[in-house]
Amino acid sequence: MADMNIRYEELLAHRKGQPPLPTAVVHPCSEDALIGAVEAAKAGLIAPLLVGPKEQIGKIAAKSKIDLSPYEIVPTADAEESASVAAHLAGSGKAGALMKGSLHTDQYMHAVLQRENGLRTSRLLSHCMLIAAPAYSRTIVVSDAAVNIAPDLDQKRDIVQNAIILARAVGISQPKVAVLAAIETVNSKMQATLDAAALAKMADRRQIVGGIVDGPLDLDMLSTRRQRGSKAWRRRSQAKPISSSRPTSKPAT
């Protein structure tokens, strides 16, 4: 647990000296959601815009003894409107980030994906999970574990690029992306291995930028190899500088 706390503190330290990020907190209508937003504000990470039913938020704050006077409340009628209003705030530039509160994920994502809210880009929207494992010394980013079920090669390219961008944003200067498969050789009968090899080559050709990409790689073998120092990563990193890279099934540092 101590190592994980250190990793958490390192992540917070990356924001030190930077202004709080204006953040639309979407429907903070549970104690956990509201407390999380307020704690992030007190840590100097965000400047929250609490988007939700004002009376309901006030009751939760009173019960939890939270002072809401420093924070702006953007009143809405229900969760669906909260998501829509928050997405519009982010799309218009009034908020720099969204923080999900106590609403269903499908309500939240529906608003995010509406083109009129201006949040969509040319790349696929994907999910990233940051993991601090007690027995592993580096931060791990896993993608995509929640949103895209069976991505094709072009979609995997976007997933990798998105993960690299996130990794760099949280302070990983040169993300190393391991494109996972069941085996570490290319097999024409296993599409995952073909896609992994193609993604590695796409990184070489700068179709993915910001990191180092390799694959196909096996998770168990990769963990063992990384513990003793991977010659493969060193060869790729010394080959030629890459200004940005990509992850797919699993980005790691």
Side-chain angles (χ1 to χ4, degrees), residues 40-242:
K42 289 181 177 178
L45 300 175
I46 68 172
L49 298 167
L50 305 177
V51 184
K54 187 172 184 178
E55 184 177 350
Q56 189 175 352
I57 293 173
K59 287 180 179 178
I60 295 168
K63 180 182 177 182
S64 305
K65 297 181 173 56
I66 297 173
D67 179 15
L68 293 180
S69 60
Y71 313 119
E72 180 180 350
I73 298 178
V74 181
T76 62
D78 52 31
E80 186 175 335
E81 185 181 359
S82 297
S84 180
V85 169
H88 180 72
L89 287 171
S92 65
K94 294 179 181 177
L98 295 174
M99 180 176 177
K100 182 177 176 290
S102 54
L103 75 166
H104 292 298
T105 299
D106 58 347
Q107 293 175 308
Y108 176 75
M109 293 302 299
H110 178 76
V112 168
L113 292 171
Q114 295 304 300
R115 292 192 180 276
E116 58 266 26
N117 287 326
L119 293 175
R120 297 185 65 170
T121 69
S122 59
R123 289 196 310 276
L124 181 75
L125 185 143
S126 57
H127 170 271
C128 291
M129 176 168 53
L130 270 69
I131 299 175
Y136 199 72
S137 62
R138 304 179 185 183
T139 301
I140 301 168
V141 182
V142 176
S143 184
D144 182 313
V147 174
N148 298 291
I149 298 172
D152 61 24
L153 178 59
D154 289 337
Q155 291 171 326
K156 288 179 181 181
R157 177 197 60 209
D158 287 350
I159 290 169
V160 170
Q161 187 64 73
N162 290 344
I164 288 173
I165 291 170
L166 172 65
R168 293 173 69 93
V170 299
I172 302 170
S173 59
Q174 189 179 52
K176 295 176 180 177
V177 180
V179 187
L180 300 183
I183 60 175
E184 295 199 329
T185 55
V186 177
N187 186 319
S188 62
K189 295 181 175 61
M190 297 180 68
Q191 188 61 44
T193 67
L194 297 174
D195 288 353
L199 289 166
K201 179 54 68 175
M202 290 169 100
D204 290 343
R205 300 283 177 88
R206 300 186 60 78
Q207 292 173 264
I208 302 171
V209 295
I212 300 168
V213 181
D214 199 5
L217 294 170
D218 171 79
L219 179 58
D220 293 336
M221 292 296 294
L222 175 67
S223 300
T224 303
R225 186 184 301 124
R226 294 289 292 279
Q227 288 173 2
R228 64 176 185 259
S230 168
K231 295 180 180 178
W233 286 124
R234 286 199 295 271
R235 283 198 302 269
R236 276 198 171 272
S237 63
Q238 292 168 2
K240 60 179 180 181
I242 300 177

